[in-house]
Amino acid sequence: MPNIPYRDILIGARQEAFKMRHFFVGVEHLFIALLEIRGSLTGKLMQEFGLAPEYVIDAIRRKTGKGSKQRLWAGIPNTPRVKVLENIAYDIAMEAGRDEVYERDLLTAMLDERDSVPLRVIQALGITDFDALRNMAQNYTLNSETQQAYVKVEFGSGFNRDEMLTKEQLFVLRRMFAEYAQIRVEYRLTGGYSQATLLVVTPIRPDQQEDATVAVKIHQVDAILDEAQRYESHVKAKLPPMTARIEDKPTAPESSDLAGIKYTLITQNNQPPRDLRAILAEWEAEKLSNWLTDTFFPTFGNKWWSQNREFRFQVWREYDWLLPPILTLELVKDKPLPPNAYVLRMPVKRAKLNRLDFGDMVAVENFVVQKVYAERHAIQLAVGQGTDSASAYKIEVRGIDFNSDTYYRGEVVENIIGTVWQTRSQQLMNAIRALMPDFDAHNEKIPVNLDGLEKVPNPILMYEGLLDSFVNGTSATIHGDLHPGNIMIGPKESAFLIDFAHTREGHTIFDWATLEISLLNDYIMPYAGETWNDARRVMGYLLKLNGGDFPNDIPEPLRSKLGVLKSLRGLVRPCLANENQWSEYFIALAFCSLRALTWETVSLAGRRLMVLVGGLAIHELRTRFRPSDDNTEDTEDTYRSF
Amino acid sequence: MKNMKLNVMIMSGSEDGTTLTYDPSQGDGQEVENAWQISIGRKEENDLCLRNDTYVSRFHAYIIWKNNRWWLEDCDSTNGTFIENAQDFFDDQPIKGTIGIEEEQLFRVGRTWLRIQVIE
C-alpha cells in the first residue's frame, strides 16, 4: 500500500492515543499508526531489519506506558514535536512537487529529526544506523508478496513425514531462504517445553550447490524476536569459539504470527550434526557419561556454570514459573468488587489463594503482562519484568475483548478483576488424575512400599512450603532449557548448544536438574516399563543413588543408564554453593519434575515417575538433605561417595 | 555560572518537543549555598511545571548546578525519578536522593522524559 496520505495516518494515531489514554497525538502514536497499516513502508523497513511491526508496537507502548483515566483537557492536540515533524514532512512533499504529505515524507521527517520516542525505541531494539534507514525509506519500492520467488522444499530421509510442517511454517521457511532455489529439511529436532519447531535445513543454490546446513527455529513472533534480543545481550559474548550461533536477523513476515531464526551448525563432510536425543539410543552408557564429563561440561563450563557467584534467593523467585498458573480467571468488567473479595498483590499470600474456589471474585493489582494471546482472547500476567523468562506467579485472564481494551507485554496492570475458573492446585490435581493413580491423590503421602521407605510426600500437595524457603546457591549464565534435544554433537564428537530462548543469569544447577529430569524420561524410563510399580522400582534405585549407594543387583540396561545420572551428579557437585549441600539440587529437581508432570509430550510412564521423583525430592529435603538454616552450621546435608 | 544558560527539552508526553530555557542572570531558578537549582513539579510555582502529567508530584525533583557539574535530586516523589538503564532500555532505574547527571542524558519524572542541554 504505497502513498498512505497523512490524514489517514492521523486517524490511526488518534485511535492509538485514545487506546493508551494519552489524549494527545505524539510521534509515538503516528509511528504505531504506520506500523498498524498492513503493507506500510514503515512496517516493511522494520522487517528488513528483522523486527516484526507488532513487536515494535509493543516496545513503544511499554516505553511510554498507559496514561491515567483522568482526562485533563478536551480534544486530542498534537504535541509540539509532531508540529515540527509536520512542517519538515510538508517541506519534503513540496520539494517533490506535491501538496499532500505521504507516509514516506513523514517517515523521512522522523528520521531527520531523530529525537522522538519511537526512534529511541527502535535504536534500543538494534536499529542504530538511521542514515541507512533514511536511505532505504527514500528508495524502497514496495513489492507485492506474490512477486516472491518460489523456494522448493524437499524432505530428507531422516524427516518423519507423519509430522508434516504446517502451511504457515512452510511460508516462514520459504521466506527465510528466499535467496535460494531449494531447501532440504533434513530432520526435526525435538523441542523442549516451548513448543517451537526446530529443523535442520540444507539450503541449495540455483546451480545445485549445497550451502552449510543450519538449524532453524520457527515459533511465535514475540518469542523469536525476544530470543534474538536476548542472544545479543546475554549470550553472544559468552559462547565458546566453536559453537552454534544465531545467523542473520530473524525473519518475521508481516502476514504471519510466526517468525524464524537460523543457527549456524558446525558440520564435517557435509554430515549434519545430530542432537543428543538421537544419539542416546546408539551410544553405550559409559561413552555418554565420559562425553558429558570430558567434552560437554568443559566446553561451556568455563564461561557458564563454573563462573558462578553466590546467590541467595527465595525459591519462588527462581522456580514458581515452572508450575501451572496460580490462577486462571475469567475477566469481569464494570462490576464493583465485593467487600470480602480476595485482592492479589505482592507479597502474594498463597495460603489464602488455596482457599479460592470456582466463581470467586478476585482483584489482581500491579502484575505485569507477560503474554498476549490475541486468538484466545487472553493475557498472562506475572510478577517480574516483562522480558524475563523466569517470572513468578503466572495468572491467566480470559475473556478479553482486544477491540475495546489494549494490553501490551511489559505493561503494569494496576487493577484487573475476574472470577476464578481454575486454581493451580486444581490443575495439578487434574494432571495427576490423568495418570490413573493406584493411590488416593488427595492423600498427603503416596505409598511406595520400598525397603526402608513406605511412603513419600505427595508432591502436588506438599511443594507449597518449599516455595518460601531460602536457598544459599550460586548464579551463573545458564542455558535455561538444557534437554538432550538442544545439545548437539558435531565433528569429532564436539559439543554445542542451540536454542537460547531461555538463556539467562539464574540458579546454576537448574540446567543440570533439567537434564536429569529429561534423561529420566527419555533415557531411563523407556527401559523400565509403564506401570506405577515400574516407576516405584526406578524411584527405589534413585533413592539408593541419592544415598551414594549403587548396588550391583540393579538389572541391565537400567544399571548402566543410571550410571549416567551418577556421572551427571558428579558434574553438579562443583556447581553447588557448598560441595556437601545438596538441598539446592533437590529443590530444583522437585520443581522440574512437577513441571514435567503437566506435559502431555512426556510419556505416561514418564509422568508417573515424575510424581514419584517429586515426592522423593521432598522426602530427601526433609531427611537426608535438609536445607541448613541461615547463619547456622550445616546439618547432615551431605552427599556421600560422589 | 553567570554566562551559562540551561535548556531542558521535554522528550515525551503531551508537551514533547518543547524546549525551556533557564538563565540565572535573568533570575530563573534559585541560588542556594553555591548552587543553582531548577525545581520540577506539577504545581505552577515550579520553574519547570509539568501540569499535564498526573504521575508527577506537586514538588517532584531538582536539577542542580553545584561543584561544576549537574545533579538530579528526587524530592521523595510518589512515582519516582528515573534514568535510562544501559542494560535494559525498558527497565528504567529509579534514583535515590541526588545523583550526578551528564548533558544529553535522559531522565524521567513521573511519565515525562526530559533532557538537559547547556548553552555556554
Side-chain angles (χ1 to χ4, degrees), chain A residues 24 59 62-68 70 72-73 79-81 115 117 120-121 124-125 385 387 414, chain B residues 9-18 51-52 54-55 84 88-92 106 111 113 115:
Chain A
F24 59 86
R62 201 186 314 164
K63 193 63 186 176
T64 53
K66 257 183 205 164
S68 66
Q70 237 177 313
L72 299 173
W73 58 84
T79 64
R81 200 183 299 277
D115 262 348
V117 175
R120 298 205 304 268
V121 170
L125 295 177
Q385 272 302 307
T387 49
E414 284 170 18
Chain B
M9 189 179 225
I10 301 178
M11 299 297 288
S12 72
S14 66
E15 291 167 282
D16 181 26
T18 309
R51 58 184 72 74
N52 293 338
T54 50
Y55 291 83
E84 278 188 341
D88 183 352
F89 181 71
F90 298 101
D91 184 21
D92 305 327
L106 274 86
R111 283 284 173 83
W113 285 95
R115 185 174 72 187

Side-chain angles (χ1 to χ4, degrees), chain A residues 40-52:
Chain A
S40 70
L41 171 68
T42 314
K44 294 273 179 208
L45 290 178
M46 291 300 104
Q47 284 174 66
E48 290 285 334
F49 282 88
L51 294 171

Side-chain angles (χ1 to χ4, degrees), chain A residues 283 287-296 487 489 493 495:
Chain A
W283 280 7
K287 181 171 179 181
L288 180 60
S289 293
N290 291 342
W291 186 82
L292 287 173
T293 312
D294 302 333
T295 306
F296 180 60
I487 301 174
I489 293 152
E493 293 174 3

Side-chain angles (χ1 to χ4, degrees), chain A residues 582-633:
Chain A
W582 281 82
S583 54
E584 55 169 315
Y585 188 64
F586 282 84
I587 285 170
L589 274 184
F591 287 99
C592 288
S593 60
L594 279 170
R595 172 171 69 168
L597 152 68
T598 59
W599 279 350
E600 283 171 11
T601 48
V602 174
S603 68
L604 178 70
R607 280 179 284 157
R608 284 176 171 163
L609 179 66
M610 289 303 103
V611 177
L612 300 178
V613 167
L616 178 63
I618 297 173
H619 166 77
E620 298 286 25
L621 285 162
R622 287 177 176 182
T623 53
R624 193 161 14 207
F625 307 125
R626 287 181 78 83
S628 57
D629 293 332
D630 193 30
N631 303 330
T632 57
E633 282 302 304

Side-chain angles (χ1 to χ4, degrees), chain A residues 324-357:
Chain A
I326 38 166
L327 276 181
T328 306
L329 300 176
E330 193 73 38
L331 181 75
V332 174
K333 273 184 89 172
D334 310 321
K335 253 194 205 168
L337 193 66
N340 58 345
Y342 179 55
V343 180
L344 191 60
R345 62 166 83 91
M346 285 300 290
V348 171
K349 298 203 172 64
R350 286 192 315 274
K352 280 189 187 167
L353 207 63
N354 288 339
R355 290 199 288 272
L356 289 173
D357 221 331

